[in-house]
Amino acid sequence: MPAVSKGDGMRGLAVFISDIRNCKSKEAEIKRINKELANIRSKFKGDKALDGYSKKKYVCKLLFIFLLGHDIDFGHMEAVNLLSSNKYTEKQIGYLFISVLVNSNSELIRLINNAIKNDLSSRNPTFMCLALHCIANVGSREMAEAFAGEIPRILVAGDTMDSVKQSAALCLLRLYKASPDLVLMGEWTSRVVHLLNDQHMGVVTAAISLITCLSSKNPDEFKTCVSLAVSRLSRIVSSASTDLQDYTYYFVPAPWLSCKLLRLLQCYPPPEDGAVKGRLVECLETILNKAQEPPKSKKVQHSNAKNAILFEAISLIIHYDSEPNLLVRACNQLGQFLQHRETNLRYLALESMCTLASSEFSHEAVKTHIETVINALKTERDVSVRQRAADLLYAMCDRSNAKQIVAEMLSYLETADYSIREEMVLKVAILAEKYAVDYSWYVDTILNLIRIAGDYVSEEVWYRVIQIVINRDDVQGYAAKTVFEALQAPACHENMVKVGGYILGEFGNLIAGDPRSSPLVQFNLLHSKFHLCSVPTRALLLSAYIKFINLFPETKATIQEVLRSDSQIRNSDVELQQRAVEYLKLSSIASTDVLATVLEEMPPFPERESSILAKLKKKKGPGAVSVELEDGKERGELNGGGDRGGDAAIAASNASTPSPSADLLGLRSAAPVSGAAPSAGSLLVDVFSEAGPAAASAGVNDDGFLRFVCKNNGVLFENQLLQIGIKSEYRQNLGRMYLFYGNKTSVQFVSFSTTVSCPGELQSQLNVQTKTVEPLVEGGAQVQQVINIECLTDFVDAPLLNIKFRYGGALQNISLKLPVTINKFFQPTEMAAADFFQRWKQLSQPQQEAQKIFKASHGMDTEVLKAKLLGLGTALLENVDPNPENYVCAGVIQTKAQQVGCLLRLEPNAQAQVRTRARAHTQMYMHTHTQMYMHIHTQSPSVLLCAALIASLTAVCVFLCAAANQAWRAGNTQLALFSLALFLSHSPPLSFTPFFHFLIHFSPHIDSTLSH
Amino acid sequence: MIGGLFIYNHKGEVLISRVYRDDIGRNAVDAFRVNVIHARQQVRSPVTNIARTSFFHVKRSNIWLAAVTKQNVNAAMVFEFLYKMCDVMASYFGKISEENIKNNFVLIYELLDEILDFGYPQNSETGALKTFITQQGIKGQFQTKEEQSQITSQVTGQIGWRREGIKYRRNELFLDVLESVNLLMSPQGQVLSAHVSGRVVMKSYLSGMPECKFGMNDKIVIDKAGKGGVTNEAGKSDLGGGGSTSGKQSIAIDDCTFNQCVRLSKFDSERSISFIPPDGDYELMRYRTTKDIILPFRVIPLVREVGRTKLEVKVVIKSNFKPSLLAQKIEVRIPTPLNTSGVQVICMKGKAKYKASENAIVWKIKRMAGMKESQISAEIELLPTNDKKKWARPPISMNFEVPFAPSGLKVRYLKVFESKLNYSDHDVVKWVRYIGRSGIYETRC
């Protein structure tokens, strides 16, 4: 680099800067700057040309003024002129100004690009470097467009200087990060990879950053780099500290390069080639060995460099997860760091150990450090380190040490920081549940938890304990006893009262034999807490009281007295008042056997993923999912991966919206939402993944698809950025679809484009024409697209809609199935019964019939089912089938090639398999007779649902009775009443008279429900 | 009430810090410095709320005075106090500068102890303060007991602003009507907004405890007098005609405030201003008018853009008052675009200069008689920029001083009654002076 010559001092600039520094006030500074700007303007305007030196000086001043925070709107031209100067300093200042103040002025950009091009093609390495730095600093798309082709050539050319190669590699990296689509390596790939063999360490260091970035995007192309990287690494690792001269940093050979090499290797699985692998393992061993050696220097830089390599090596070992020997050694190494003086090291050690704990090879090794970790949790000064220690304890916990760890965490909880308390509580709750060998221990732990950190115990935790107590007969008595004892403390947390109220309400009878916990004592104990509690808890306690009436008839008078008191029956809170009134009436009117049925013990809850686990996942964010994955595996859960876990978390959080009726099971959210529920376990997950916003933007998204089988208008897709509405109309074999793309953000979408494609043979079956949309969608605006569809012949698949746009520079790509299904081209046909059956019989060949038997799981009414069938496009034929429960439809599918007549029967069959929650398992037969194989979308969850509803109508009274009972006891009075009313209005023989009484006396609002 | 008072220099260093209440902590000092003095943005509200603490500040040259409170105080009261504080300090040691404050910090703490008590403003009358807070420290100790008790009885008495037994050989009164006229005018000469804020400042050297009565051409008083004087119907219709005897006879005062010595009850009932004056300098009243303002100058701008690189500006000013009167210190400030690279100015009268540091052409005229006009023309060369923003054309502003009151206020009388001493109204020498100055006097171009 040429030395700064003596004449380049720029005295004027120095004077100006010192003037500014000496200004006493902001006003004075502004005055001085205004004066200088006027001076520069007059100089630039002046007729006589400025020489390079003064031009440089003034541009410098402008730059300085700009950096002080003032706007500069001139001088760009002069700066560009400086670029073509032959003096290094002038060129440098020119580039500096351009990099700082570049704006997208088209003509200037052209000039700048020209100057850069000249410099790149010059043979002068300093000029080339300047130009490359400028490109990298600006890094705009225009720059990428202009130079993305040129730079790789410079990078791999044989005669390029090393320093230029370094700059070129980093410049290319920058351009690739800014606009990956423009930087195409293609032919250069192998030559870039071979830069790893370069003589010059600087070039290798620069190149490896580029290769790491490129290979993380397309690993296959750069596969060859693994062996090169390994050999390079082994050369560095095995070299003596003096071999690398300039690249030895405090006795550590090339630490940065080593770290980068190790990081690059983390992009790939372990090398398959045995020799390479052996060499790599050797390297890693050497690194681990070196960590054991006494330090060569006392300086902190030395140990920092050494530890950086070590940690990178350990994360590579963890990444490979295949070398038990190395894993254990890594673990031991980290164990040493656990007691290191340096806080950062302790933090890193704990963090790495967390991941080590999840590996089967090193889990045991990690467990040996349990004492140290517990100690860290207790004595560590830094809260973030304590947090890591808690994480690690959680990760290393298994059946053998669960009791110890849980006990330690509980005892720590009393002094824990507020910031991590809630998480700690969740962890304790999960561990206690997961590794509980004996459930009385579990109950003790959780009650302790509520006692110690009641405020941080979220709803999910106590829901869970109740679920478990109810599902396990063996602990119920113990739980009741423990709860009773816990409640005797003078100050109880409200969560404790909730648990107590619930459990005593259910199982108070199990401890009633003891005179110390006789029914009346239990009731008085609960009621003494009543006035200190919030409304939802009071509501729960009222439910517990009515259960007491059932359990212990002797308390009836006392409880009725309480319910009758003004503070209950005239409570200003509607929920409390309603409960008080209804319970009072129920207890005074219903006979004991009715009471016993209504207030029966809660049936076991369906097993499903612990909602607490979901909550913890949500709290920790997607990054923590890897740790939790193991849990998923262990429980054999349906929850197959990170994405679904996230959904579950959302589901759980939605389900736990605070509701006064203490919605234990997420009942409320589950019942009214239409959606298929193949298994109870994934109920929430599925419901919400359908109704919630579609998170994944990659891959074909058919969340919204099924909803449109029986529906023509609605919202097809929605995420944080975009909403797609759909409106469609069909006539004969023609259809027209209006798509509305709404930009939900305030930023415009650029290069917005949509394409509709028909995959495979659909191309010949469906003719789809689209009109192009505007490429620009303003923030908050909506654009419309019209799609014309012609059905040529029958089809199976649906066309794909692909949307591409840029939002804030990032390319968004969304693929959706367009809801075009064959039933859209149905033409309803009316026919008489005789006619129908004649045709039905005609179509008797096997290939003319498609039959689908499926289970339905939701209750619903006939009207909805009818609406669904009409939505399918067929005509619903009344009074055709001799069995009034069956549904019969007919229609003609219109295609260009032919018209297909189609008959359809839906035969709901209620084999009353009584389940809770007004959900019946019914079987349903459906025949569709067509001339050819047909896909009627009866898989659609909506139709499934319809079936469930019909089932609920035909089910026996007992079933509905239990359903109502269930819903009502869970606190959802409204739902219970509704299902009862539904039942009453639809099934004429009223066999269960007590219920009728109960309904009549219940509350006035039932009248309106009954009236229809 | 005021919780504390801080004085900072331009760098934000604390010169004076006096905390009156416990709710103001040390961090309040830093909060103001960080959020106001060192704030990045230019526009600074006089009232700033930081973390539920209110900061009221005024700036005198390079010095910041900030009053701090956590309560919901009357902001006008706080500012009134801050201005009063400035006046008091100025009367003790002249200009408020960092140096003066550092040299007099003991005095300032003494003053702060006296004029604020637990955050409540007390006596801030300079004359009274000077009797017991002196700068000649040692001399104060030689005050006799009588003198001390006299001071005590004065500052705790009914008339705290004047002591007994003042004696002058020559009884004199100086009365200044100081007005500043504010204007915003459209390029076509339409008045967009105009108001006059004025002060009546007095300097009295009177013996004894004189009772003064001040009269001016307040519209309400004149109307009342007219009504009282004439009883019949014809008299009422004559009222308008009566005003023509001396041009504009009465003015409508929008609002006014008085010195504490004025008897407000009397003003409320009779609208007469009567008072026992403090000795020496004081401000008798402040007022504001918005109707029938005499605008001393009219500015007629003419701006023409010639291509992208040149601007021609012509400005004519016309004086609009009696030819016998002379306006002084006239200064017209014509803003120039931000990309000015050169200016040529020609003016018939006075001196004009392009000041690059202020982005303006400043045209100064020493004196100008009434009913005259003068003109300046300038050619401004511009540097073409790649900035698409158009020049915002800030208004042309003007400064001047005229020897009359633009509001039209006239002093009708100032009577002095002293019953105990034997001098009468006629023996007092009275001087009256009117000065009209420009406030923000702007014309858009």
Side-chain angles (χ1 to χ4, degrees):
Chain A
M1 214 170 273
V4 175
S5 65
K6 216 180 165 199
D8 282 332
M10 292 195 281
R11 222 178 95 75
L13 179 66
V15 168
F16 172 60
I17 291 174
S18 75
D19 277 1
I20 295 276
R21 294 265 157 86
N22 289 334
C23 281
K24 289 235 160 146
S25 65
K26 193 125 191 157
E27 292 73 34
E29 182 186 310
I30 290 169
K31 273 190 174 172
R32 181 69 184 90
I33 285 168
N34 280 338
K35 197 174 150 197
E36 195 58 45
L37 283 176
N39 176 35
I40 298 171
R41 280 195 299 260
S42 68
K43 283 290 190 317
F44 283 172
K45 174 83 180 179
D47 300 325
K48 63 173 188 292
L50 290 168
D51 59 342
Y53 167 77
S54 30
K55 218 180 259 176
K56 179 183 74 176
K57 185 176 74 185
Y58 292 129
V59 167
C60 258
K61 282 183 180 176
L62 284 180
L63 198 53
F64 183 74
I65 293 169
F66 176 77
L67 294 177
L68 283 176
H70 300 265
D71 280 340
I72 297 296
D73 50 7
F74 65 98
H76 298 82
M77 204 57 212
E78 282 72 15
V80 172
N81 286 343
L82 281 178
L83 294 186
S84 53
S85 158
N86 271 327
K87 274 195 187 152
Y88 171 76
T89 48
E90 287 167 22
K91 207 183 258 290
Q92 182 202 24
I93 295 294
Y95 273 122
L96 192 58
F97 188 89
I98 298 296
S99 334
V100 174
L101 265 139
V102 80
N103 57 9
S104 49
N105 186 320
S106 59
E107 72 188 283
L108 267 180
I109 285 285
R110 207 160 40 81
L111 287 171
I112 294 166
N113 283 356
N114 238 339
I116 292 176
K117 236 174 215 141
N118 285 339
D119 278 341
L120 283 183
S121 56
S122 80
R123 311 300 304 161
N124 187 335
T126 40
F127 289 179
M128 287 174 90
C129 280
L130 276 179
L132 286 168
H133 294 170
C134 180
I135 296 170
N137 279 335
V138 175
S140 67
R141 207 173 162 76
E142 291 79 17
M143 285 282 180
E145 272 165 7
F147 300 109
E150 179 98 6
I151 297 168
R153 196 172 304 132
I154 296 173
L155 179 60
V156 298
D159 53 347
T160 316
M161 295 269 290
D162 289 335
S163 59
V164 180
K165 273 191 190 171
Q166 272 173 280
S167 301
L170 294 177
C171 179
L172 200 57
L173 174 62
R174 168 84 172 103
L175 291 186
Y176 182 76
K177 278 180 179 165
S179 28
D181 51 322
L182 289 175
V183 181
L184 301 168
M185 293 311 290
E187 50 200 302
W188 309 111
T189 307
S190 68
R191 298 179 70 181
V192 169
V193 169
H194 276 92
L195 284 175
L196 287 177
N197 273 337
D198 200 284
Q199 299 288 318
H200 193 262
M201 295 289 264
V203 176
V204 184
T205 315
I208 199 161
S209 301
L210 175 67
I211 293 168
T212 308
C213 184
L214 288 171
S215 60
S216 62
K217 288 279 155 55
N218 26 355
D220 288 342
E221 280 182 42
F222 287 86
K223 230 176 196 158
T224 47
C225 70
V226 173
S227 60
L228 288 178
V230 170
S231 63
R232 186 94 222 182
L233 183 67
S234 82
R235 259 180 286 158
I236 296 171
V237 169
S238 58
S239 68
S241 59
T242 48
D243 285 0
L244 295 165
Q245 286 165 0
D246 286 355
Y247 288 88
T248 301
Y249 176 82
Y250 288 88
F251 306 106
V252 182
W256 279 275
L257 183 54
S258 314
C259 284
K260 283 182 175 180
L261 283 167
L262 289 165
R263 207 166 282 171
L264 172 64
L265 290 173
Q266 283 173 46
C267 301
Y268 291 95
E272 281 137 24
D273 183 358
V276 176
K277 189 165 185 186
R279 214 165 164 196
L280 180 57
V281 168
E282 206 174 295
C283 284
L284 293 173
E285 269 169 357
T286 320
I287 292 172
L288 288 174
N289 286 340
K290 275 194 180 170
Q292 296 291 344
E293 286 169 16
K296 293 199 179 86
S297 156
K298 285 232 161 77
K299 289 260 172 62
V300 66
Q301 289 93 331
H302 172 71
S303 56
N304 276 351
K306 226 167 81 173
N307 291 333
I309 299 176
L310 178 63
F311 273 108
E312 213 51 69
I314 288 175
S315 45
L316 182 64
I317 293 169
I318 295 169
H319 169 75
Y320 284 165
D321 197 15
S322 60
E323 301 286 332
N325 178 29
L326 284 177
L327 281 166
V328 171
R329 280 195 65 186
C331 185
N332 294 341
Q333 184 61 48
L334 290 176
Q336 288 177 16
F337 285 145
L338 284 182
Q339 280 154 316
H340 203 276
R341 247 176 339 107
E342 192 76 18
T343 312
N344 289 335
L345 269 185
R346 290 198 301 269
Y347 181 94
L348 287 170
L350 287 168
E351 200 181 26
S352 307
M353 267 209 180
C354 245
T355 35
L356 271 179
S358 58
S359 161
E360 50 179 319
F361 300 114
S362 55
H363 187 79
E364 287 303 317
V366 172
K367 268 166 65 182
T368 56
H369 300 289
I370 183 163
E371 292 303 331
T372 327
V373 179
I374 287 171
N375 204 31
L377 183 67
K378 281 178 176 160
T379 57
E380 184 58 61
R381 228 187 268 153
D382 189 322
V383 63
S384 60
V385 182
R386 284 199 297 267
Q387 163 96 54
R388 291 291 140 242
D391 284 350
L392 179 55
L393 275 184
Y394 176 71
M396 68 162 70
C397 188
D398 63 11
R399 222 168 269 287
S400 65
N401 55 11
K403 275 201 175 168
Q404 184 193 4
I405 287 180
V406 168
E408 288 296 347
M409 283 175 113
L410 263 181
S411 72
Y412 170 63
L413 202 55
E414 292 189 59
T415 51
D417 301 81
Y418 297 104
S419 53
I420 60 172
R421 271 198 186 179
E422 190 177 353
E423 204 186 315
M424 290 279 293
V425 165
L426 285 176
K427 281 182 168 155
V428 169
I430 290 166
L431 290 179
E433 183 192 335
K434 201 156 108 183
Y435 300 116
V437 218
D438 113 50
Y439 277 90
S440 53
W441 173 73
Y442 171 73
V443 171
D444 278 344
T445 308
I446 298 293
L447 290 182
N448 239 338
L449 195 64
I450 295 174
R451 191 177 52 77
I452 293 170
D455 283 338
Y456 300 91
V457 174
S458 54
E459 301 278 278
E460 286 86 355
V461 173
W462 77 264
Y463 287 178
R464 191 68 191 158
V465 68
I466 282 173
Q467 284 177 20
I468 284 175
V469 167
I470 285 179
N471 287 8
R472 312 209 52 104
D473 301 335
D474 45 339
V475 283
Q476 286 165 356
Y478 179 76
K481 191 162 146 275
T482 327
V483 164
F484 179 76
E485 277 159 15
L487 279 178
Q488 275 169 332
C492 268
H493 194 270
E494 195 165 328
N495 280 339
M496 184 68 93
V497 179
K498 284 182 187 163
V499 177
Y502 203 101
I503 289 185
L504 290 183
E506 292 291 330
F507 311 114
N509 55 337
L510 297 178
I511 54 166
D514 191 331
R516 280 168 300 172
S517 54
S518 70
L520 219 55
V521 175
Q522 285 184 32
F523 171 75
N524 285 336
L525 182 62
L526 274 184
H527 199 59
S528 67
K529 314 282 181 199
F530 186 88
H531 302 281
L532 304 170
C533 294
S534 61
V535 169
T537 312
R538 288 188 192 192
L540 190 146
L541 284 179
L542 285 181
S543 294
Y545 296 169
I546 187 77
K547 290 229 165 191
F548 268 30
I549 294 185
N550 178 37
L551 290 178
F552 320 114
E554 66 265 36
T555 56
K556 188 170 178 176
T558 326
I559 292 174
Q560 278 182 340
E561 193 55 44
V562 169
L563 290 175
R564 207 175 283 126
S565 71
D566 275 359
S567 62
Q568 309 303 351
I569 214 155
R570 298 211 178 132
N571 196 300
S572 61
D573 187 88
V574 178
E575 178 70 29
L576 288 184
Q577 193 186 35
Q578 189 179 351
R579 283 196 191 211
V581 171
E582 288 172 1
Y583 291 159
L584 188 59
K585 279 285 168 222
L586 181 64
S587 65
S588 46
I589 288 167
S591 65
T592 39
D593 47 337
V594 172
L595 268 181
T597 321
V598 171
L599 302 168
E600 197 188 359
E601 190 177 294
M602 290 296 276
F605 289 86
E607 271 308 326
R608 63 172 185 222
E609 191 201 16
S610 157
S611 52
I612 348 180
L613 204 57
K615 171 141 182 172
L616 184 68
K617 280 180 196 165
K618 189 178 126 211
K619 246 185 105 68
K620 302 194 87 175
V625 169
S626 60
V627 186
E628 310 300 341
L629 252 175
E630 188 215 2
D631 304 342
K633 270 186 249 155
E634 220 165 279
R635 323 184 107 239
E637 274 289 342
L638 21 102
N639 210 358
D643 286 355
R644 296 298 288 269
D647 283 352
I650 296 165
S653 71
N654 284 353
S656 67
T657 44
S659 63
S661 41
D663 195 353
L664 256 189
L665 299 168
L667 227 186
R668 172 179 301 198
S669 42
V673 177
S674 62
S679 83
S682 64
L683 173 75
L684 278 176
V685 179
D686 279 1
V687 164
F688 280 90
S689 64
E690 194 190 43
S697 57
V700 176
N701 213 326
D702 50 2
D703 283 346
F705 182 73
L706 291 176
R707 278 187 283 131
F708 284 92
V709 171
C710 300
K711 203 162 97 169
N712 280 339
N713 307 328
V715 175
L716 178 62
F717 172 82
E718 186 163 10
N719 65 7
Q720 298 95 316
L721 307 175
L722 184 72
Q723 185 189 46
I724 304 175
I726 196 166
K727 214 173 133 181
S728 46
E729 53 199 35
Y730 295 90
R731 220 173 48 232
Q732 308 270 345
N733 64 332
L734 298 176
R736 178 168 290 173
M737 189 176 270
Y738 300 90
L739 290 173
F740 300 91
Y741 304 99
N743 182 348
K744 284 168 74 181
T745 66
S746 54
V747 185
Q748 64 178 23
F749 294 159
V750 213
S751 43
F752 187 91
S753 72
T754 66
T755 46
V756 178
S757 59
C758 297
E761 56 178 358
L762 189 61
Q763 222 154 8
S764 58
Q765 294 163 341
L766 209 61
N767 187 1
V768 182
Q769 288 169 337
T770 52
K771 293 189 177 144
T772 49
V773 282
E774 290 288 311
L776 221 66
V777 185
E778 293 295 336
Q782 198 183 51
V783 292
Q784 185 191 347
Q785 186 181 27
V786 184
I787 300 177
N788 288 320
I789 303 157
E790 188 185 11
C791 177
L792 301 174
T793 177
D794 65 294
F795 60 94
V796 183
D797 283 334
L800 288 179
L801 172 68
N802 193 6
I803 303 152
K804 278 187 188 151
F805 60 91
R806 274 183 183 281
Y807 166 70
L811 189 71
Q812 306 282 332
N813 196 343
I814 297 168
S815 282
L816 296 167
K817 267 189 185 175
L818 270 188
V820 182
T821 48
I822 187 81
N823 67 307
K824 300 288 183 195
F825 302 97
F826 253 128
Q827 194 89 349
T829 325
E830 292 289 341
M831 56 179 76
D835 215 7
F836 180 87
F837 281 104
Q838 191 196 350
R839 286 175 191 227
W840 186 270
K841 282 178 188 123
Q842 275 171 6
L843 305 167
S844 56
Q845 283 152 32
Q847 75 269 27
Q848 289 178 330
E849 178 177 330
Q851 180 173 337
K852 182 95 184 167
I853 304 167
F854 52 88
K855 282 188 171 183
S857 41
H858 276 262
M860 212 190 284
D861 69 283
T862 33
E863 292 308 315
V864 179
L865 185 48
K866 279 180 184 168
K868 288 283 179 201
L869 287 171
L870 283 175
L872 207 58
T874 52
L876 189 65
L877 306 181
E878 307 264 356
N879 306 325
V880 171
D881 205 293
N883 183 352
E885 299 295 340
N886 289 356
Y887 296 86
V888 172
C889 308
V892 179
I893 293 179
Q894 307 266 353
T895 69
K896 199 184 175 190
Q898 58 195 10
Q899 296 187 344
V900 184
C902 176
L903 306 175
L904 189 144
R905 277 169 78 189
L906 188 68
E907 299 170 1
N909 182 359
Q911 237 108 65
Q913 205 181 24
V914 180
R915 287 296 310 261
T916 54
R917 249 192 268 166
R919 187 165 40 150
H921 288 210
T922 60
Q923 289 197 315
M924 194 150 115
Y925 302 97
M926 178 155 162
H927 301 278
T928 54
H929 289 234
T930 64
Q931 287 168 333
M932 39 186 29
Y933 182 73
M934 237 198 69
H935 301 264
I936 291 187
H937 297 264
T938 37
Q939 305 93 309
S940 130
S942 10
V943 181
L944 280 173
L945 261 176
C946 309
L949 260 197
I950 303 155
S952 77
L953 300 182
T954 53
V956 284
C957 306
V958 179
F959 148 59
L960 258 174
C961 195
N965 178 12
Q966 172 69 24
W968 177 59
R969 275 198 289 164
N972 202 336
T973 329
Q974 228 81 8
L975 184 72
L977 287 178
F978 181 71
S979 50
L980 282 172
L982 196 74
F983 158 63
L984 287 176
S985 57
H986 285 285
S987 67
L990 199 64
S991 53
F992 217 107
T993 22
F995 254 102
F996 189 64
H997 285 293
F998 154 47
L999 282 170
I1000 298 301
H1001 289 288
F1002 222 85
S1003 70
H1005 67 82
I1006 192 128
D1007 295 341
S1008 57
T1009 328
L1010 274 177
S1011 62
H1012 51 260
Chain B
M1 293 306 106
I2 296 171
L5 196 125
F6 308 128
I7 302 181
Y8 301 84
N9 66 6
H10 71 278
K11 286 184 210 149
E13 291 162 351
V14 192
L15 304 177
I16 300 282
S17 151
R18 179 74 172 87
V19 176
Y20 293 94
R21 296 197 173 214
D22 293 338
D23 55 356
I24 303 298
R26 296 285 311 167
N27 51 357
V29 185
D30 300 326
F32 181 77
R33 175 181 40 242
V34 172
N35 290 296
V36 181
I37 300 181
H38 292 161
R40 296 234 74 183
Q41 68 276 17
Q42 205 60 43
V43 185
R44 285 158 179 161
S45 155
V47 184
T48 321
N49 223 304
I50 307 160
R52 304 183 67 78
T53 312
S54 307
F55 294 83
F56 305 79
H57 77 262
V58 296
K59 209 179 164 198
R60 283 282 179 278
S61 65
N62 270 335
I63 298 298
W64 300 76
L65 270 86
V68 193
T69 183
K70 284 224 168 187
Q71 276 141 318
N72 185 14
V73 296
N74 181 348
M77 185 278 282
V78 176
F79 282 111
E80 186 65 40
F81 168 77
L82 287 175
Y83 289 131
K84 206 80 203 180
M85 181 73 205
C86 291
D87 290 347
V88 170
M89 287 197 291
S91 79
Y92 267 94
F93 49 76
K95 196 170 165 276
I96 298 178
S97 66
E98 185 175 349
E99 179 136 338
N100 277 343
I101 288 178
K102 280 181 176 165
N103 290 340
N104 292 290
F105 81 94
V106 177
L107 170 77
I108 294 173
Y109 277 115
E110 246 183 294
L111 285 172
L112 285 176
D113 277 344
E114 192 55 40
I115 59 182
L116 270 182
D117 190 3
F118 197 46
Y120 292 97
Q122 306 291 313
N123 194 352
S124 57
E125 193 60 45
T126 319
L129 285 171
K130 275 188 171 162
T131 59
F132 55 94
I133 298 177
T134 59
Q135 280 159 295
Q136 295 83 17
I138 303 155
K139 192 187 152 201
Q141 291 181 354
F142 293 105
Q143 277 180 341
T144 61
K145 227 172 184 149
E146 293 88 78
E147 274 173 346
Q148 281 175 6
S149 67
Q150 198 191 344
I151 291 168
T152 311
S153 72
Q154 183 205 327
V155 296
T156 54
Q158 203 183 8
I159 303 160
W161 57 88
R162 189 178 180 93
R163 64 187 165 90
E164 301 261 357
I166 298 170
K167 200 117 186 141
Y168 286 103
R169 206 153 51 80
R170 207 166 115 103
N171 291 307
E172 263 185 316
L173 251 182
F174 299 88
L175 191 148
D176 288 351
V177 177
L178 306 175
E179 293 193 340
S180 75
V181 51
N182 300 285
L183 167 77
L184 182 63
M185 194 178 251
S186 75
Q188 288 76 34
Q190 195 183 358
V191 176
L192 301 173
S193 88
H195 74 270
V196 171
S197 55
R199 307 190 296 148
V200 178
V201 177
M202 289 180 76
K203 196 186 269 185
S204 54
Y205 303 109
L206 299 171
S207 311
M209 281 295 215
E211 173 87 38
C212 298
K213 205 169 170 191
F214 174 66
M216 56 181 179
N217 56 344
D218 181 2
K219 194 161 191 253
I220 298 168
V221 179
I222 304 280
D223 287 0
K224 214 195 270 176
K227 253 183 235 167
V230 190
T231 45
N232 59 3
E233 290 290 307
K236 261 183 193 165
S237 65
D238 194 39
L239 200 69
S244 62
T245 48
S246 61
K248 200 176 72 166
Q249 202 199 359
S250 61
I251 61 162
I253 289 176
D254 287 13
D255 49 56
C256 50
T257 57
F258 294 102
N259 188 292
Q260 59 168 335
C261 64
V262 175
R263 294 199 180 90
L264 293 177
S265 56
K266 220 155 193 179
F267 179 76
D268 288 340
S269 57
E270 303 165 25
R271 216 165 160 90
S272 73
I273 302 164
S274 69
F275 55 98
I276 297 170
D279 199 38
D281 288 330
Y282 58 96
E283 183 187 282
L284 180 66
M285 70 178 286
R286 259 185 252 170
Y287 58 90
R288 206 171 64 92
T289 70
T290 48
K291 285 200 190 82
D292 302 325
I293 293 164
I294 308 157
L295 296 172
F297 286 96
R298 168 88 207 277
V299 178
I300 304 158
L302 216 107
V303 180
R304 199 159 69 89
E305 281 174 52
V306 188
R308 276 189 70 204
T309 59
K310 206 165 156 193
L311 200 68
E312 282 180 3
V313 180
K314 204 168 100 177
V315 177
V316 182
I317 58 167
K318 283 184 182 168
S319 55
N320 180 30
F321 45 88
K322 272 190 242 161
S324 58
L325 298 175
L326 270 182
Q328 286 181 314
K329 298 178 192 167
I330 300 153
E331 185 186 289
V332 182
R333 183 175 289 263
I334 304 160
T336 56
L338 292 173
N339 55 345
T340 306
S341 61
V343 178
Q344 276 90 48
V345 209
I346 309 159
C347 60
M348 305 192 308
K349 219 176 157 194
K351 280 180 191 163
K353 205 178 158 193
Y354 167 58
K355 288 202 172 166
S357 59
E358 289 154 43
N359 281 324
I361 299 168
V362 180
W363 176 28
K364 285 183 176 165
I365 304 169
K366 282 219 177 83
R367 244 172 251 105
M368 191 168 172
M371 305 317 268
K372 289 261 171 47
E373 69 173 66
S374 187
Q375 185 184 327
I376 184 174
S377 54
E379 242 173 55
I380 302 171
E381 278 179 65
L382 304 175
L383 188 75
T385 63
N386 35 20
D387 209 2
K388 297 288 174 288
K389 266 185 290 176
K390 245 193 135 219
W391 180 44
R393 290 199 181 191
I396 295 172
S397 61
M398 198 176 170
N399 289 318
F400 54 79
E401 205 178 287
V402 287
F404 61 92
S407 67
L409 181 128
K410 293 254 160 44
V411 177
R412 284 170 62 217
Y413 55 82
L414 179 65
K415 291 178 194 145
V416 181
F417 310 98
E418 170 51 81
S419 45
K420 288 186 192 140
L421 299 172
N422 52 355
Y423 70 90
S424 72
D425 188 31
H426 302 291
D427 303 328
V428 181
V429 185
K430 299 168 191 163
W431 305 87
V432 180
R433 179 164 69 157
Y434 298 92
I435 300 173
R437 290 200 182 95
S438 57
I440 297 165
Y441 202 85
E442 291 180 332
T443 308
R444 290 189 179 152
C445 63

